[in-house]
Amino acid sequence: MMAASSNRRTVALSFLLCFTFGDICAGTPYIFRGKLKGGFLGTPRHSSNVEPPPEKWLVQRLDHFNHADTNVWKQRYFVNDTFFNSTNPDAPVFLMIGGEGKANSLWMTTGTWIKYAQDFGALCLMLEHRYYGKSHPTVDMGVKHMVYLNSEQALADLAYFRSNMTNVLGLQKRKWIAFGGSYPGSLAAWFRLKYPHLVDGAVATSGPVFAKINFLEYLEVVQDALETTVPGCTEAIQTAVRGVEVNIPQSVGRALLKDIFMLCDEIDERNKNDIANLFSTLAGNFENIVQYNNDNREFEGVADANITIDTVCGMMVNETLGAPMLRYAAVNNLLLKVHNETCQDFKYDKFIKEQQNVTWPEEGGVGERPWMYQTCTEFGWYQSSDYVHHPFGHRFPINFWTQQCVDVFGPNFNMELLQRAVSRTNDDYGGFGIKVTKVVFPNGSIDPWHRMGIVERPGDESHAIFIKGTAHCANMYPASESDPKELVEAREQIKNLIAEWLTE
Ligand SMILES: *[C@@H]1O[C@H](CO)[C@@H](O)[C@H](O)[C@H]1NC(C)=O
Ligand SMILES: *[C@@H]1O[C@H](CO)[C@@H](O)[C@H](O)[C@H]1NC(C)=O
Ligand SMILES: *[C@@H]1O[C@H](CO)[C@@H](O)[C@H](O)[C@H]1NC(C)=O
Ligand SMILES: *[C@@H]1O[C@H](CO)[C@@H](O)[C@H](O)[C@H]1NC(C)=O
Ligand SMILES: *[C@@H]1O[C@H](CO)[C@@H](O)[C@H](O)[C@H]1NC(C)=O
Ligand SMILES: *[C@@H]1O[C@H](CO)[C@@H](O)[C@H](O)[C@H]1NC(C)=O
Ligand SMILES: *[C@@H]1O[C@H](CO)[C@@H](O)[C@H](O)[C@H]1NC(C)=O
Ligand SMILES: CC(=O)N[C@H]1CO[C@H](CO)[C@@H](O)[C@@H]1O
């Protein structure tokens, strides 16, 4: 799911994952904490005219860990049974796990997992994650209603979904394989970890498994990817950023910046949060491109899918575009244009106000509040500017990010809570030391998220596939003629692993 429609793009958060344009909210940037609006895994756009299957609803418990609480709510799911060969007792069930964005039904008819379903005669199911899309467990997103939002409840939702579907659809004795990309990739691995009797294997694509408050490695990967693709790129960015720094203290300079970067508002040099947001947004232009470089998302209808590292770095080293600061502005303005935005928003207070809104977004809207809540209470993963050697300036340090938790959710959501939460998450799932079997962890070398993912085979029966030269979730998108050899091989390797798990 991504976002875009409004004419502003704020920028405080930079990173998550994948989503679609078309649903946006005003001050929120199209890439938010490394996640495209709508989720880490992009929304597929339909290449054919295949009608996606209709949505269905399951009654779920609000709190799986308190049996005295009898509250229930309705969770959305989808079924594609076209390839399911029910007369074959070995035909498996494939479960696509929803994540931090709405579950887009277009995934029910496209993507690599559908190809695999065709090969194995599988039944395809997708469950939307609680608090995202249309799966609203509570009347609103007030802080006291958000206590039921966490990955453990989400895994318990999957467990109940699994048992309900088994009964309702008569799937006894069938093997289940879980799929997910990005945060749902982590959930796929954790589902196998926590409920090994319910799922026989998991394809955990680009899943960050290690919770960490200060994800400073993110910009390190971005810097490497930029520099190895186009030498001189990071140096030009550094010069540009220095130019921005020099202009901020002077009123003439601020007016110049407003003009060349098409800012929506005047810069208030005393507002450190606005300045942090500005620097982080400008870095975000490059983070987004690196995270999704050459990833075949055209099928999703992603507006900037054809803008790659070569495009933006090509601009950064192109002297005919003027001084480096003007080239940096040209990249910014190109992305604004692609996202149909008329000016660059960077006002921190506006962004915080939007995140404080507890009303569920209207149909099609993108709410980033639930994901923000999960980062503040489980994972961290803030793409701070604290790595020393990246070129984007050091104006968005970790405190800028952690303060947002307090500003949005209140004083309890402080650093102390975050530290306890992140350490509990790693105790719960094992972090990098996760002990699982029959899980494959594909990750792309230039996807910054691989630094929080499994980089070595964690056990004899789980597998790491490192896909050279690819970005976030690349192996999940439909294949294309131009896919690198490594990606083609990875898809084949994953298929062979699934075949192995199904015959054991
Ligand atoms: C499965 O879910 C449906 C709809 O929520 C419910 O009516 C039914 O009782 C459930 N069945 C089982 C066996 O859990
Ligand atoms: C379905 O499975 C049965 C039993 O394995 C097999 O004989 C049949 O050819 C399969 N049908 C299709 C359409 O693949
Ligand atoms: C399942 O996906 C296939 C491949 O895109 C599509 O042709 C079919 O119509 C889908 N079936 C349902 C029930 O949506
Ligand atoms: C991306 O594609 C659009 C539409 O096909 C085209 O107008 C635009 O120039 C392309 N942008 C780049 C940077 O190639
Ligand atoms: C540099 O930018 C100019 C002006 O946009 C363009 O005409 C030229 O093709 C670019 N040069 C390269 C090497 O991309
Ligand atoms: C931008 O606007 C054009 C024309 O109205 C539309 O075709 C396109 O899909 C929009 N792009 C985005 C990212 O919303
Ligand atoms: C809060 O979000 C809802 C749903 O998107 C929207 O209708 C409402 O205008 C927003 N409220 C404020 C104060 O922005
Ligand atoms: C699981 C997996 O593929 N891990 C790879 C992720 O990326 C690193 C490179 O930084 C590889 O070394 C890992 O093998």
Side-chain angles (χ1 to χ4, degrees), residues 278-461:
L278 176 61
F279 278 85
S280 157
T281 304
L282 298 178
N285 288 334
F286 289 81
E287 294 172 353
N288 182 21
I289 300 302
V290 170
Q291 184 167 318
Y292 295 102
N293 194 48
N294 279 331
D295 67 357
N296 293 345
R297 283 180 308 151
E298 288 91 337
F299 86 105
E300 296 180 341
V302 173
D304 56 3
N306 62 351
I307 300 181
T308 63
I309 297 176
D310 285 316
T311 319
V312 293
C313 280
M315 291 170 78
M316 284 313 300
V317 299
N318 185 341
E319 289 176 7
T320 63
L321 296 174
M325 189 169 76
L326 293 173
R327 303 175 210 162
Y328 203 46
V331 169
N332 183 62
N333 301 346
L334 170 66
L335 289 166
L336 284 175
K337 191 170 141 215
V338 164
H339 293 274
N340 287 344
E341 301 190 4
T342 54
C343 62
Q344 179 68 63
D345 203 352
F346 66 98
K347 297 300 279 181
Y348 181 79
D349 288 348
K350 187 150 57 176
F351 165 75
I352 293 297
K353 278 221 171 60
E354 284 176 9
Q355 302 308 311
Q356 287 171 338
N357 188 343
V358 303
T359 307
W360 294 110
E362 284 135 35
E363 162 65 277
V366 174
E368 294 304 338
R369 182 175 164 90
W371 180 248
M372 184 157 198
Y373 184 85
Q374 289 198 266
T375 67
C376 294
T377 56
E378 290 190 86
F379 307 124
W381 289 330
Y382 301 122
Q383 294 152 356
S384 79
S385 60
D386 293 342
Y387 170 65
V388 183
H389 301 294
H390 71 78
F392 301 101
H394 296 92
R395 301 284 197 122
F396 43 107
I398 191 60
N399 295 347
F400 167 67
W401 301 86
T402 56
Q403 183 61 35
Q404 292 172 26
C405 294
V406 173
D407 292 346
V408 171
F409 299 111
N412 289 344
F413 292 77
N414 55 21
M415 192 63 167
E416 199 190 322
L417 180 150
L418 194 52
Q419 270 157 351
R420 246 186 301 119
V422 159
S423 124
R424 161 69 191 151
T425 299
N426 290 327
D427 288 345
D428 195 14
Y429 300 125
F432 288 130
I434 183 172
K435 258 195 148 35
V436 280
T437 61
K438 297 181 185 156
V439 175
V440 58
F441 294 95
N443 78 52
S445 64
I446 64 166
D447 173 13
W449 285 95
H450 83 248
R451 294 293 293 271
M452 298 291 111
I454 294 292
V455 298
E456 281 168 320
R457 229 177 128 120
D460 283 347
E461 283 191 273

